[in-house]
Amino acid sequence: MIVNEEAVKKVLNDVKPATLVAATKYVDAPELDKLEALGVTIFGENRVQAFLDKYEKYHGNAHWHFIGTLQCNKVKYIIDKVELIHSVNSYKLIDEIEKQAKKHDLVMDVLLQVNIAQEESKHGFAAQEMDQVMDYLKDKPHLHPRGLMMMAPHIEPEKTRQYFKATKDLLTALAQKYPQYQLTELSMGMTNDYTIAIEEGSTMVRLGHALFKEA
């Protein structure tokens, strides 16, 4: 896959006021420079090994987020290289990020992944356990929760609206209940449904195929 220049320009305009996180798992390191030249400022990686390879080869000024499912034994490899982990989906992962962030004397910004549609095939906390999660984070000074992340079901885009709205409502409720965390970010929306996600309050969209074309 290679960068589709016209598509990137259009998407950067269309996603406003949300932030574009370019899902770069589809492309090799040289395409990252093209994305940056077009105005993309955040790259999102799904796989640790592929990310580490690109991280070594890329020397630009864009920022790195980790957006894929993160195994606990891989946290140590990325903890000092990414600025935001979108997919924090278990207490075990919270513990490991706290452990590794403490080792590096840093505070890691994270998003808590919620399985708002309660799909068995998806990771994430249930909406009804988020109070418990927030309480658990009180003893994790090296984690800074900034908001929520979700993945909508693979259904007709318009039917995903209810799930985006529910996630926004959940964030609003949590932000009011836990003002000390300043929960403001909503990472939701992908190539097939990002316009609806933005309409319902997304602040970050994770787009891959919308930005690239076959070589």
Side-chain angles (χ1 to χ4, degrees):
M1 302 284 282
I2 60 173
V3 171
N4 183 337
E5 187 171 331
E6 291 305 314
V8 172
K9 290 178 180 177
K10 182 178 186 301
V11 166
L12 280 169
N13 184 67
D14 289 348
V15 302
K16 295 174 183 177
T19 298
L20 171 64
V21 179
T24 49
K25 70 177 181 178
Y26 305 108
V27 297
D28 295 326
E31 298 302 306
L32 302 180
D33 293 317
K34 297 179 185 177
L35 284 172
E36 184 180 358
L38 291 167
V40 177
T41 60
I42 300 174
F43 304 146
E45 278 291 320
N46 292 67
R47 295 169 292 192
V48 170
Q49 192 55 53
F51 160 64
L52 293 174
D53 180 63
K54 293 174 196 176
Y55 183 85
E56 292 301 319
K57 294 176 180 177
Y58 171 73
H59 303 291
N61 297 310
H63 307 279
W64 293 98
H65 290 187
F66 195 83
I67 61 176
T69 300
L70 180 58
Q71 296 174 307
C72 289
N73 63 352
K74 300 291 181 66
V75 173
K76 60 186 176 184
Y77 299 115
I78 71 165
I79 195 71
D80 59 339
K81 298 177 177 65
V82 302
E83 294 186 12
L84 180 65
I85 299 173
H86 288 231
S87 46
V88 177
N89 56 26
S90 70
Y91 296 105
K92 186 177 178 182
L93 184 55
I94 288 172
D95 289 342
E96 186 62 23
I97 294 172
E98 169 66 22
K99 174 184 173 182
Q100 297 300 333
K102 183 177 180 180
K103 281 185 180 180
H104 286 269
D105 192 28
L106 57 84
V107 177
M108 176 55 63
D109 284 348
V110 301
L111 301 179
L112 302 165
Q113 183 173 351
V114 290
N115 187 355
I116 209 76
Q118 300 181 326
E119 293 182 280
E120 290 186 7
S121 62
K122 295 241 176 42
H123 298 285
F125 296 105
Q128 57 267 30
E129 69 176 314
M130 287 309 298
D131 282 321
Q132 181 180 334
V133 176
M134 301 310 292
D135 186 62
Y136 194 76
L137 288 169
K138 290 177 182 177
D139 297 324
K140 303 292 182 289
H142 296 86
L143 267 75
H144 175 209
R146 292 182 54 199
L148 304 177
M149 177 266 214
M150 65 86 80
M151 297 178 67
H154 292 294
I155 54 179
E156 182 183 330
E158 183 57 38
K159 292 181 179 179
T160 63
R161 188 179 298 276
Q162 61 179 312
Y163 302 110
F164 294 136
K165 184 180 186 303
T167 308
K168 171 64 174 178
D169 290 345
L170 176 60
L171 179 74
T172 299
L174 292 172
Q176 292 174 347
K177 198 168 184 178
Y178 305 97
Q180 67 270 33
Y181 291 127
Q182 298 179 321
L183 303 170
T184 59
E185 300 298 337
L186 263 184
S187 172
M188 59 184 193
M190 299 170 71
T191 292
N192 64 324
D193 55 21
Y194 73 91
T195 56
I196 297 170
I198 292 169
E199 289 172 5
E200 296 301 331
S202 176
T203 66
M204 295 181 181
V205 292
R206 311 179 304 274
L207 305 186
H209 287 296
L211 309 176
F212 308 114
K213 60 185 177 182
E214 296 294 335

